[in-house]
Short mmCIF file of all heavy atoms in Angstrom, two decimals:
data_model
loop_
_atom_site.label_atom_id
_atom_site.label_comp_id
_atom_site.label_asym_id
_atom_site.label_seq_id
_atom_site.Cartn_x
_atom_site.Cartn_y
_atom_site.Cartn_z
N GLN A 6 -68.74 49.72 118.00
CA GLN A 6 -68.73 49.84 119.47
C GLN A 6 -67.32 50.35 119.93
O GLN A 6 -66.90 49.98 121.02
CB GLN A 6 -68.94 48.46 120.05
CG GLN A 6 -68.04 47.35 119.55
CD GLN A 6 -68.42 45.99 120.13
OE1 GLN A 6 -69.52 45.79 120.81
NE2 GLN A 6 -67.61 45.01 119.91
N ARG A 7 -66.66 51.15 119.06
CA ARG A 7 -65.36 51.69 119.42
C ARG A 7 -65.40 52.67 120.57
O ARG A 7 -64.49 52.81 121.32
CB ARG A 7 -64.75 52.34 118.19
CG ARG A 7 -64.40 51.46 117.12
CD ARG A 7 -63.77 52.24 115.91
NE ARG A 7 -63.73 51.42 114.72
CZ ARG A 7 -63.58 51.92 113.54
NH1 ARG A 7 -63.42 53.14 113.34
NH2 ARG A 7 -63.52 51.04 112.51
N HIS A 8 -66.50 53.45 120.63
CA HIS A 8 -66.57 54.54 121.57
C HIS A 8 -67.54 54.15 122.72
O HIS A 8 -68.37 53.23 122.60
CB HIS A 8 -67.09 55.75 120.81
CG HIS A 8 -66.29 56.09 119.67
ND1 HIS A 8 -65.02 56.66 119.68
CD2 HIS A 8 -66.60 56.02 118.34
CE1 HIS A 8 -64.64 56.86 118.44
NE2 HIS A 8 -65.52 56.44 117.67
N ARG A 9 -67.41 54.83 123.79
CA ARG A 9 -68.24 54.58 124.96
C ARG A 9 -69.61 55.35 124.81
O ARG A 9 -70.54 54.97 125.63
CB ARG A 9 -67.50 54.96 126.23
CG ARG A 9 -66.42 54.01 126.50
CD ARG A 9 -65.60 54.41 127.75
NE ARG A 9 -66.46 54.26 128.95
CZ ARG A 9 -65.87 54.45 130.12
NH1 ARG A 9 -64.55 54.64 130.29
NH2 ARG A 9 -66.60 54.39 131.21
N ALA A 10 -69.70 56.31 123.97
CA ALA A 10 -70.88 57.14 123.81
C ALA A 10 -71.74 56.54 122.67
O ALA A 10 -71.18 56.22 121.56
CB ALA A 10 -70.66 58.57 123.61
N GLN A 11 -73.03 56.36 122.84
CA GLN A 11 -73.91 55.87 121.78
C GLN A 11 -73.85 56.79 120.55
O GLN A 11 -73.85 56.29 119.43
CB GLN A 11 -75.29 55.76 122.33
CG GLN A 11 -76.25 54.97 121.38
CD GLN A 11 -77.64 54.97 121.97
OE1 GLN A 11 -78.37 55.91 121.95
NE2 GLN A 11 -78.07 53.84 122.54
N ALA A 12 -73.86 58.10 120.77
CA ALA A 12 -73.95 59.06 119.61
C ALA A 12 -72.70 58.89 118.78
O ALA A 12 -72.77 58.95 117.53
CB ALA A 12 -74.04 60.43 120.16
N ARG A 13 -71.45 58.71 119.41
CA ARG A 13 -70.32 58.57 118.60
C ARG A 13 -70.25 57.26 117.84
O ARG A 13 -69.83 57.20 116.69
CB ARG A 13 -69.01 58.74 119.52
CG ARG A 13 -68.85 60.11 120.07
CD ARG A 13 -67.70 60.26 120.91
NE ARG A 13 -66.40 60.08 120.14
CZ ARG A 13 -65.27 60.05 120.68
NH1 ARG A 13 -65.16 60.12 122.07
NH2 ARG A 13 -64.21 59.94 119.98
N ASN A 14 -70.82 56.23 118.46
CA ASN A 14 -70.94 54.96 117.73
C ASN A 14 -71.86 54.98 116.50
O ASN A 14 -71.65 54.41 115.51
CB ASN A 14 -71.33 53.84 118.70
CG ASN A 14 -70.17 53.32 119.52
OD1 ASN A 14 -69.06 53.40 119.13
ND2 ASN A 14 -70.52 52.90 120.71
N ARG A 15 -73.01 55.80 116.68
CA ARG A 15 -73.95 55.98 115.58
C ARG A 15 -73.27 56.72 114.39
O ARG A 15 -73.37 56.25 113.32
CB ARG A 15 -75.18 56.80 116.06
CG ARG A 15 -76.09 56.09 116.95
CD ARG A 15 -77.28 56.92 117.38
NE ARG A 15 -78.13 57.20 116.20
CZ ARG A 15 -79.10 58.08 116.27
NH1 ARG A 15 -79.28 58.79 117.41
NH2 ARG A 15 -79.87 58.28 115.23
N ALA A 16 -72.47 57.74 114.76
CA ALA A 16 -71.85 58.48 113.69
C ALA A 16 -70.77 57.63 113.06
O ALA A 16 -70.59 57.73 111.77
CB ALA A 16 -71.23 59.74 114.32
N ASP A 17 -70.10 56.81 113.80
CA ASP A 17 -69.01 55.90 113.28
C ASP A 17 -69.62 54.92 112.34
O ASP A 17 -69.09 54.69 111.21
CB ASP A 17 -68.32 55.19 114.42
CG ASP A 17 -67.14 54.39 114.00
OD1 ASP A 17 -66.45 54.70 113.05
OD2 ASP A 17 -67.00 53.30 114.61
N ALA A 18 -70.69 54.32 112.74
CA ALA A 18 -71.33 53.30 111.84
C ALA A 18 -71.81 53.93 110.57
O ALA A 18 -71.58 53.31 109.55
CB ALA A 18 -72.58 52.59 112.65
N LEU A 19 -72.41 55.07 110.63
CA LEU A 19 -72.92 55.69 109.45
C LEU A 19 -71.79 56.04 108.46
O LEU A 19 -71.88 56.02 107.32
CB LEU A 19 -73.71 56.96 109.77
CG LEU A 19 -74.42 57.71 108.66
CD1 LEU A 19 -75.42 56.76 107.96
CD2 LEU A 19 -75.19 58.95 109.12
N ALA A 20 -70.65 56.64 109.14
CA ALA A 20 -69.53 57.03 108.34
C ALA A 20 -68.94 55.79 107.65
O ALA A 20 -68.54 55.91 106.44
CB ALA A 20 -68.49 57.66 109.21
N ARG A 21 -68.91 54.65 108.31
CA ARG A 21 -68.37 53.46 107.65
C ARG A 21 -69.22 52.94 106.46
O ARG A 21 -68.71 52.56 105.49
CB ARG A 21 -68.18 52.32 108.78
CG ARG A 21 -66.96 52.64 109.52
CD ARG A 21 -66.87 51.89 110.90
NE ARG A 21 -67.15 50.50 110.74
CZ ARG A 21 -67.34 49.68 111.84
NH1 ARG A 21 -67.31 50.20 113.03
NH2 ARG A 21 -67.63 48.42 111.78
N LEU A 22 -70.57 53.08 106.69
CA LEU A 22 -71.50 52.68 105.60
C LEU A 22 -71.26 53.63 104.41
O LEU A 22 -71.20 53.20 103.32
CB LEU A 22 -72.98 52.77 106.14
CG LEU A 22 -73.97 52.47 104.92
CD1 LEU A 22 -73.95 51.03 104.51
CD2 LEU A 22 -75.40 52.85 105.50
N LEU A 23 -71.18 54.95 104.65
CA LEU A 23 -71.07 55.92 103.56
C LEU A 23 -69.75 55.70 102.82
O LEU A 23 -69.71 55.80 101.61
CB LEU A 23 -71.20 57.38 104.09
CG LEU A 23 -72.57 57.68 104.68
CD1 LEU A 23 -72.54 59.11 105.18
CD2 LEU A 23 -73.69 57.43 103.68
N ASP A 24 -68.65 55.37 103.58
CA ASP A 24 -67.34 55.12 102.95
C ASP A 24 -67.42 53.92 102.07
O ASP A 24 -66.93 53.91 100.97
CB ASP A 24 -66.36 54.89 104.10
CG ASP A 24 -65.00 54.66 103.48
OD1 ASP A 24 -64.53 55.45 102.68
OD2 ASP A 24 -64.43 53.58 103.84
N LEU A 25 -68.15 52.89 102.50
CA LEU A 25 -68.33 51.69 101.77
C LEU A 25 -69.10 52.00 100.45
O LEU A 25 -68.72 51.49 99.36
CB LEU A 25 -69.01 50.62 102.58
CG LEU A 25 -69.05 49.18 102.15
CD1 LEU A 25 -67.56 48.64 102.28
CD2 LEU A 25 -69.90 48.33 102.98
N ILE A 26 -70.18 52.77 100.49
CA ILE A 26 -70.90 53.13 99.36
C ILE A 26 -70.08 53.96 98.38
O ILE A 26 -70.11 53.79 97.14
CB ILE A 26 -72.27 53.82 99.72
CG1 ILE A 26 -73.07 52.81 100.49
CG2 ILE A 26 -72.95 54.30 98.51
CD1 ILE A 26 -74.39 53.34 101.08
N ARG A 27 -69.32 54.94 98.96
CA ARG A 27 -68.42 55.75 98.13
C ARG A 27 -67.45 54.91 97.39
O ARG A 27 -67.20 55.19 96.13
CB ARG A 27 -67.69 56.77 98.93
CG ARG A 27 -68.58 58.02 99.33
CD ARG A 27 -67.78 59.09 99.96
NE ARG A 27 -68.72 59.97 100.59
CZ ARG A 27 -69.02 60.12 101.85
NH1 ARG A 27 -68.32 59.37 102.77
NH2 ARG A 27 -69.92 60.91 102.33
N ARG A 28 -66.85 54.05 98.00
CA ARG A 28 -65.85 53.07 97.35
C ARG A 28 -66.54 52.28 96.24
O ARG A 28 -65.93 52.03 95.19
CB ARG A 28 -65.19 52.21 98.27
CG ARG A 28 -64.14 52.88 99.12
CD ARG A 28 -63.32 51.94 99.92
NE ARG A 28 -64.01 51.28 100.98
CZ ARG A 28 -63.75 50.11 101.47
NH1 ARG A 28 -62.72 49.49 101.11
NH2 ARG A 28 -64.54 49.55 102.38
N ALA A 29 -67.81 51.80 96.49
CA ALA A 29 -68.55 51.00 95.50
C ALA A 29 -69.03 51.94 94.34
O ALA A 29 -69.18 51.41 93.17
CB ALA A 29 -69.74 50.40 96.13
N ALA A 30 -69.09 53.26 94.53
CA ALA A 30 -69.59 54.16 93.50
C ALA A 30 -68.49 54.48 92.38
O ALA A 30 -68.80 54.90 91.33
CB ALA A 30 -70.05 55.46 94.11
N GLN A 31 -67.25 54.19 92.81
CA GLN A 31 -66.22 54.40 91.89
C GLN A 31 -66.05 53.23 90.92
O GLN A 31 -65.74 52.14 91.33
CB GLN A 31 -64.84 54.62 92.63
CG GLN A 31 -64.80 55.86 93.48
CD GLN A 31 -63.51 55.96 94.33
OE1 GLN A 31 -62.79 54.97 94.33
NE2 GLN A 31 -63.30 57.12 94.82
N PRO A 32 -66.31 53.52 89.65
CA PRO A 32 -66.14 52.37 88.68
C PRO A 32 -64.72 51.81 88.61
O PRO A 32 -63.78 52.58 88.69
CB PRO A 32 -66.63 52.93 87.36
CG PRO A 32 -66.48 54.41 87.53
CD PRO A 32 -66.58 54.78 88.96
N PRO A 33 -64.59 50.54 88.44
CA PRO A 33 -63.23 50.03 88.34
C PRO A 33 -62.54 50.47 87.11
O PRO A 33 -63.18 50.68 86.08
CB PRO A 33 -63.41 48.47 88.33
CG PRO A 33 -64.83 48.33 87.83
CD PRO A 33 -65.60 49.51 88.28
N LEU A 34 -61.20 50.69 87.19
CA LEU A 34 -60.38 51.16 86.01
C LEU A 34 -60.28 49.99 85.01
O LEU A 34 -60.09 48.86 85.41
CB LEU A 34 -59.05 51.60 86.52
CG LEU A 34 -59.07 52.78 87.47
CD1 LEU A 34 -57.63 52.99 87.94
CD2 LEU A 34 -59.60 54.00 86.76
N LYS A 35 -60.37 50.39 83.75
CA LYS A 35 -60.19 49.32 82.72
C LYS A 35 -58.64 49.02 82.60
O LYS A 35 -57.85 49.83 82.70
CB LYS A 35 -60.68 49.89 81.36
CG LYS A 35 -62.18 50.23 81.29
CD LYS A 35 -62.95 49.12 80.69
CE LYS A 35 -64.36 49.41 80.42
NZ LYS A 35 -65.27 49.14 81.49
N ARG A 36 -58.44 47.70 82.43
CA ARG A 36 -57.09 47.28 82.32
C ARG A 36 -56.58 47.58 80.89
O ARG A 36 -57.23 47.14 79.90
CB ARG A 36 -56.91 45.77 82.70
CG ARG A 36 -55.52 45.35 82.59
CD ARG A 36 -55.41 43.83 82.75
NE ARG A 36 -54.03 43.34 82.67
CZ ARG A 36 -53.30 43.30 81.61
NH1 ARG A 36 -53.83 43.59 80.40
NH2 ARG A 36 -52.02 42.80 81.66
N ARG A 37 -55.35 48.19 80.78
CA ARG A 37 -54.86 48.48 79.49
C ARG A 37 -53.82 47.37 79.21
O ARG A 37 -52.92 47.11 79.86
CB ARG A 37 -54.19 49.81 79.42
CG ARG A 37 -55.02 50.82 78.67
CD ARG A 37 -54.21 52.16 78.51
NE ARG A 37 -54.61 53.03 79.55
CZ ARG A 37 -53.87 53.88 80.09
NH1 ARG A 37 -52.57 54.03 79.70
NH2 ARG A 37 -54.30 54.72 81.07
N ALA A 38 -54.00 46.71 78.04
CA ALA A 38 -53.05 45.68 77.63
C ALA A 38 -51.69 46.31 77.33
O ALA A 38 -51.69 47.29 76.52
CB ALA A 38 -53.56 44.84 76.47
N THR A 39 -50.62 45.73 77.86
CA THR A 39 -49.31 46.26 77.54
C THR A 39 -48.42 45.05 77.19
O THR A 39 -48.62 43.95 77.59
CB THR A 39 -48.64 46.99 78.71
OG1 THR A 39 -48.66 46.08 79.88
CG2 THR A 39 -49.46 48.24 79.04
N LYS A 40 -47.33 45.43 76.48
CA LYS A 40 -46.30 44.41 76.14
C LYS A 40 -45.30 44.33 77.23
O LYS A 40 -45.00 45.43 77.81
CB LYS A 40 -45.65 44.68 74.76
CG LYS A 40 -46.66 44.60 73.62
CD LYS A 40 -45.92 44.92 72.35
CE LYS A 40 -46.82 44.88 71.19
NZ LYS A 40 -46.20 45.25 69.92
N PRO A 41 -44.65 43.11 77.50
CA PRO A 41 -43.58 43.11 78.46
C PRO A 41 -42.42 43.84 77.89
O PRO A 41 -42.07 43.82 76.72
CB PRO A 41 -43.29 41.70 78.60
CG PRO A 41 -44.00 40.94 77.49
CD PRO A 41 -45.02 41.81 77.02
N PRO A 42 -41.62 44.59 78.78
CA PRO A 42 -40.44 45.24 78.28
C PRO A 42 -39.40 44.35 77.75
O PRO A 42 -39.32 43.21 78.09
CB PRO A 42 -39.93 46.03 79.50
CG PRO A 42 -40.96 45.87 80.52
CD PRO A 42 -41.87 44.81 80.16
N ALA A 43 -38.52 44.81 76.86
CA ALA A 43 -37.44 43.99 76.29
C ALA A 43 -36.55 43.45 77.42
O ALA A 43 -36.10 42.25 77.34
CB ALA A 43 -36.69 44.81 75.32
N ALA A 44 -36.19 44.22 78.47
CA ALA A 44 -35.33 43.74 79.51
C ALA A 44 -35.95 42.60 80.21
O ALA A 44 -35.15 41.66 80.49
CB ALA A 44 -35.01 44.88 80.43
N SER A 45 -37.25 42.62 80.49
CA SER A 45 -37.82 41.45 81.20
C SER A 45 -37.88 40.21 80.35
O SER A 45 -37.71 39.12 80.75
CB SER A 45 -39.19 41.84 81.66
OG SER A 45 -40.06 41.92 80.63
N ARG A 46 -38.06 40.42 78.98
CA ARG A 46 -38.00 39.34 78.11
C ARG A 46 -36.62 38.66 78.02
O ARG A 46 -36.45 37.44 78.10
CB ARG A 46 -38.36 39.73 76.64
CG ARG A 46 -39.88 39.85 76.44
CD ARG A 46 -40.29 39.96 74.97
NE ARG A 46 -39.66 41.13 74.37
CZ ARG A 46 -40.23 42.23 73.93
NH1 ARG A 46 -41.47 42.36 74.03
NH2 ARG A 46 -39.59 43.18 73.43
N GLU A 47 -35.61 39.55 78.04
CA GLU A 47 -34.21 39.04 78.04
C GLU A 47 -33.92 38.26 79.32
O GLU A 47 -33.30 37.26 79.29
CB GLU A 47 -33.25 40.20 77.93
CG GLU A 47 -33.10 40.72 76.51
CD GLU A 47 -32.19 41.87 76.38
OE1 GLU A 47 -31.21 41.93 77.22
OE2 GLU A 47 -32.39 42.80 75.57
N ARG A 48 -34.36 38.80 80.47
CA ARG A 48 -34.10 38.09 81.74
C ARG A 48 -34.84 36.75 81.75
O ARG A 48 -34.27 35.74 82.23
CB ARG A 48 -34.69 38.99 82.87
CG ARG A 48 -33.76 40.09 83.39
CD ARG A 48 -34.15 40.69 84.70
NE ARG A 48 -35.52 41.19 84.69
CZ ARG A 48 -35.94 42.38 84.37
NH1 ARG A 48 -34.98 43.23 84.01
NH2 ARG A 48 -37.19 42.68 84.38
N ARG A 49 -36.02 36.65 81.23
CA ARG A 49 -36.69 35.40 81.15
C ARG A 49 -35.99 34.38 80.31
O ARG A 49 -35.73 33.15 80.75
CB ARG A 49 -38.13 35.61 80.59
CG ARG A 49 -39.00 34.38 80.50
CD ARG A 49 -40.39 34.68 80.00
NE ARG A 49 -40.85 33.62 79.12
CZ ARG A 49 -40.63 33.61 77.79
NH1 ARG A 49 -40.01 34.58 77.21
NH2 ARG A 49 -41.03 32.52 77.10
N ILE A 50 -35.51 34.78 79.12
CA ILE A 50 -34.84 33.84 78.21
C ILE A 50 -33.48 33.50 78.85
O ILE A 50 -33.09 32.25 78.81
CB ILE A 50 -34.52 34.58 76.89
CG1 ILE A 50 -35.82 34.93 76.13
CG2 ILE A 50 -33.68 33.65 76.00
CD1 ILE A 50 -36.75 33.77 75.85
N GLU A 51 -32.75 34.42 79.52
CA GLU A 51 -31.47 34.07 80.17
C GLU A 51 -31.71 33.09 81.31
O GLU A 51 -30.94 32.10 81.46
CB GLU A 51 -30.85 35.35 80.64
CG GLU A 51 -29.43 35.20 81.22
CD GLU A 51 -28.55 34.61 80.24
OE1 GLU A 51 -28.60 35.01 78.98
OE2 GLU A 51 -27.76 33.75 80.60
N SER A 52 -32.78 33.21 82.10
CA SER A 52 -33.06 32.28 83.20
C SER A 52 -33.43 30.95 82.66
O SER A 52 -33.06 29.85 83.24
CB SER A 52 -34.17 32.80 84.13
OG SER A 52 -35.41 32.74 83.53
#
């Protein structure tokens, strides 16, 4: 209901639905396991 014209609101609603579906269509990225850097280990031990 952002716009005063019905046609623009229809286009806006459809665009929002398609955007939602496009975001859902992208598979989530797999998390790669990494080791903490040496500097962060040193900071942890020092604290």
Side-chain angles (χ1 to χ4, degrees):
Q6 57 182 7
R7 292 180 193 164
H8 307 287
R9 287 176 69 171
Q11 189 183 77
R13 289 180 71 186
N14 281 330
R15 286 178 72 188
D17 181 39
L19 184 61
R21 285 165 45 195
L22 175 68
L23 296 181
D24 179 55
L25 198 64
I26 295 172
R27 280 188 195 106
R28 285 191 294 155
Q31 294 175 346
L34 297 173
K35 297 263 190 267
R36 184 190 179 281
R37 256 188 262 148
T39 58
K40 293 180 182 176
S45 70
R46 282 194 300 249
E47 283 179 32
R48 281 192 304 270
R49 183 179 141 268
I50 299 298
E51 189 57 42
S52 72

